[in-house]
Amino acid sequence: MANHGPSYGMSREVQSKIDKKYDQELEERLVEWIVSQCGSGVEQPEPGRIGFQKWLKDGRVLCELINSLCGATKPIRSIKASTMPFKQMEQISLFLKAAETYGVVKTDMFQTVDLFESSDLAAVQRTLMSLGSLAVTKHDGNYKGDPNWFHKKSLGNRRDFSEEQLSEGKNVIGLQMGTNKGASQAGMTGYGLPRQIINNP
């Protein structure tokens, strides 16, 4: 982690709220998936937030993960172990770029500092969950592990209408505008006449 002193006041409250979002059970599932996806080259981390962060911090495991999901066309060519922070951060950003190309939505992506400085590990978990869901949905044979670990993303349900069907639709009154079914003027009196109140004893 970077050399930051302890946070106080509002910063401390915000950081504690972010830390509470971290899911221990989800961490176990993600670790199990990453190890089975990447194979024997990746070892198990120490359990807990700190172990998870140290395991992913240099970016090597993440790069191996995205390469294993892409099959023969590996987006990250060289993955090197390095102790230099800027090299580690560069590998994390290479993973993020490759994950975005793979199809992970930008809003699901974590920032490099979220992982490197351990400022928001819940965001890292969200990105990995989104990546796993996308891999299961693609169903291209590169996903390894239990498909039940992740939910499938919904696929588009495109509908094509002919010009004739579209023109017919213009004649239908949508129910959002109300309906004119069953409307009649039966029982109405002429305008301007007083209402007749008759008591039948």
Side-chain angles (χ1 to χ4, degrees):
M1 287 196 227
N3 296 322
H4 289 296
S7 52
Y8 297 98
M10 187 70 104
S11 303
R12 187 179 211 155
E13 285 179 36
V14 169
Q15 190 59 49
S16 80
K17 280 185 181 177
I18 290 170
D19 291 345
K20 283 178 187 168
K21 291 181 184 175
Y22 185 79
D23 188 347
Q24 192 70 41
E25 289 177 21
L26 182 57
E27 175 207 306
E28 291 168 15
R29 190 183 344 155
L30 288 171
V31 166
E32 197 174 344
W33 170 54
I34 292 169
V35 168
S36 66
Q37 182 70 40
C38 297
S40 57
V42 174
E43 71 286 346
Q44 289 265 1
E46 296 173 24
R49 289 171 45 88
I50 296 165
F52 187 67
Q53 190 262 348
K54 282 182 180 174
W55 187 52
L56 299 176
K57 182 182 174 182
D58 65 354
R60 281 186 308 131
V61 173
L62 294 173
C63 292
E64 291 285 353
L65 175 63
I66 196 71
N67 276 352
S68 71
L69 289 171
C70 292
T73 58
K74 300 194 182 308
I76 302 167
R77 295 178 193 219
S78 66
I79 304 167
K80 295 175 184 166
S82 176
T83 54
M84 292 192 285
F86 71 91
K87 282 284 186 190
Q88 293 177 342
M89 290 176 87
E90 183 185 9
Q91 288 198 137
I92 294 170
S93 61
L94 283 172
F95 161 77
L96 291 170
K97 189 176 177 186
E100 193 176 345
T101 308
Y102 188 73
V104 177
V105 188
K106 216 173 181 93
T107 52
D108 288 340
M109 303 287 258
F110 66 87
Q111 301 294 311
T112 305
V113 291
D114 291 341
L115 173 58
F116 194 77
E117 295 182 0
S118 191
S119 57
D120 191 358
L121 290 177
V124 176
Q125 287 184 324
R126 277 195 306 274
T127 303
L128 292 173
M129 277 297 291
S130 182
L131 184 65
S133 297
L134 201 60
V136 169
T137 306
K138 283 192 175 189
H139 201 66
D140 56 3
N142 292 324
Y143 176 83
K144 296 175 190 127
D146 188 351
N148 297 322
W149 285 339
F150 303 101
H151 61 272
K152 277 190 172 185
K153 290 194 176 272
S154 62
L155 301 171
N157 188 4
R158 186 175 168 79
R159 294 168 177 86
D160 294 316
F161 297 106
S162 65
E163 287 297 321
E164 187 182 325
Q165 287 172 317
L166 290 171
S167 62
E168 281 178 24
K170 291 177 185 172
N171 301 329
V172 176
I173 297 173
L175 289 177
Q176 289 118 330
M177 287 99 160
T179 180
N180 62 357
K181 295 241 163 84
S184 79
Q185 293 182 341
M188 288 184 68
T189 57
Y191 291 106
L193 294 176
R195 187 170 167 215
Q196 301 297 314
I197 302 173
I198 302 167
N199 287 333
N200 290 328

